[in-house]
Amino acid sequence: MPLTSSTYGKGRVRVMRLARDGEHHTPRELSLSVMLTGGFDAAWTSADNRACIATDTVKNIVNVVAARNLDLDKEAFTEAVSALFLETYPQVTAVVVEGLETRWLRQVIGGEPHGHTFVLDGNGFGYVRRVADRQGSELQSGLRGFTVMKTTRSGWSDFFADPFRTLADTDDRIAATIMDATWTWRAVPADYTAANAAVLDTLITVFGTTYSHSVQDSMYRMGEAVLAALPEIAEISFAMPNKHYIPINLAPFGLTNPGTVFLPTDEPHGQIEAVIGRG
């Protein structure tokens, strides 16, 4: 039986490149598929793997190219990835690199573009819930799936030490979350649209401009600030799962990683929830 065609590679190679220029950071996040065509037919027809490049190596090459090219746009980045394969492996005749970009929009805080606070392009959904009976009604507004990130001024340290702990302390990490927030009204504001916008602005400002010792720490202070800014709100609840960005170990390739190349992952994730009220 003839082998009509063959290709193989690595899918969903996720990588975040973070270009740092002082306090001004630029995140570039991609999920890539890298597929190779060439002299690999014997792996199918003769159980002969000698020409094959491990798919784990494909992933490693993407990460090395990322570390060497923090500032390339996605188009030039795919060129750099494909060029390295063609330069390194004579058995490769063609490389197909496809990427999906996670687009982060720089947030404006206090009228100025912020150096390290971003929201996801096409972000989230507005939420409303009313429960009514013959004695009255309760109204809640909120957000679902609102994704926000800051690329510094966040840490996680001094947490409980036990025989199962493997995570090291850090005082500088990327903090990102896909936030659900729900606020309960105790009075009718002058304008719901304006009030809801003020809630979101307050949440992002506190998250982006203050140091975070944990998601719990940021969440509580975000809630406090909303209640202080909008007396019409009785309480606010949050569910804020972590979007993790794990620094990639580049030492096997003779490269350092000064907080610039990360593996994005949201499975499994920390799930942090709380309600902040007026007491």
Side-chain angles (χ1 to χ4, degrees):
M1 295 287 183
L3 180 67
T4 304
S5 65
S6 65
T7 186
Y8 81 103
K10 199 78 162 177
R12 294 202 68 189
V13 182
R14 301 177 67 184
V15 64
M16 162 78 89
R17 294 171 291 148
L18 184 61
R20 296 172 176 258
D21 182 10
E23 288 293 306
H24 184 88
H25 296 177
T26 302
R28 296 178 173 91
E29 183 174 346
L30 287 169
S31 178
L32 294 165
S33 165
V34 182
M35 299 297 291
L36 308 176
T37 302
F40 310 116
D41 287 0
W44 276 265
T45 60
S46 304
D48 182 349
N49 298 326
R50 286 176 295 175
C52 285
I53 304 154
T55 63
D56 188 67
T57 300
V58 175
K59 176 259 296 178
N60 291 340
I61 287 174
V62 170
N63 292 335
V64 168
V65 174
R68 294 173 176 171
N69 298 278
L70 299 177
D71 293 309
L72 292 184
D73 56 34
K74 62 184 184 299
E75 289 79 11
F77 185 72
T78 60
E79 181 181 8
V81 170
S82 59
L84 185 53
F85 277 99
L86 295 172
E87 292 165 4
T88 306
Y89 303 105
Q91 68 269 44
V92 174
T93 58
V95 186
V96 177
V97 184
E98 296 183 355
L100 295 176
E101 180 182 22
T102 299
R103 294 185 295 180
W104 292 103
L105 304 178
R106 192 175 302 279
Q107 185 66 25
V108 174
I109 297 178
E112 296 292 334
H114 197 262
H116 53 258
T117 303
F118 304 86
V119 298
L120 191 68
D121 191 13
N123 206 355
F125 299 92
Y127 170 81
V128 65
R129 179 176 186 263
R130 184 182 293 274
V131 178
D133 59 24
R134 296 190 183 279
Q135 283 69 50
S137 68
E138 179 184 80
L139 178 65
Q140 294 178 320
S141 300
L143 294 164
R144 293 292 180 268
F146 190 88
T147 303
V148 61
M149 175 179 72
K150 62 179 178 182
T151 52
T152 189
R153 300 198 67 197
S154 172
W156 175 239
S157 60
D158 296 328
F159 49 96
F160 191 76
D162 60 53
F164 304 102
R165 172 180 161 175
T166 59
L167 196 63
D169 286 354
T170 181
D171 60 5
D172 186 15
R173 64 172 183 170
I174 293 176
T177 183
I178 307 171
M179 177 178 64
D180 289 351
T182 306
W183 44 97
T184 302
W185 300 98
R186 65 175 184 171
V188 177
D191 184 315
Y192 278 113
T193 299
N196 288 333
V199 171
L200 179 57
D201 181 68
T202 301
L203 294 175
I204 294 175
T205 298
V206 174
F207 177 83
T209 62
T210 63
Y211 185 85
S212 173
H213 295 276
S214 64
V215 175
Q216 293 90 327
D217 170 53
S218 286
M219 179 187 289
Y220 183 75
R221 291 183 292 103
M222 291 159 69
E224 277 190 315
V226 167
L227 296 181
L230 289 105
E232 301 91 346
I233 292 176
E235 67 178 24
I236 183 168
S237 65
F238 295 95
M240 292 173 61
N242 284 318
K243 277 176 60 68
H244 295 293
Y245 289 86
I246 301 170
I248 293 173
N249 179 16
L250 299 171
F253 316 110
L255 299 171
T256 60
N257 185 1
T260 54
V261 184
F262 302 85
L263 171 65
T265 181
D266 49 21
E267 296 177 353
H269 61 247
Q271 181 73 21
I272 298 93
E273 302 182 8
V275 180
I276 296 92
R278 295 186 178 275

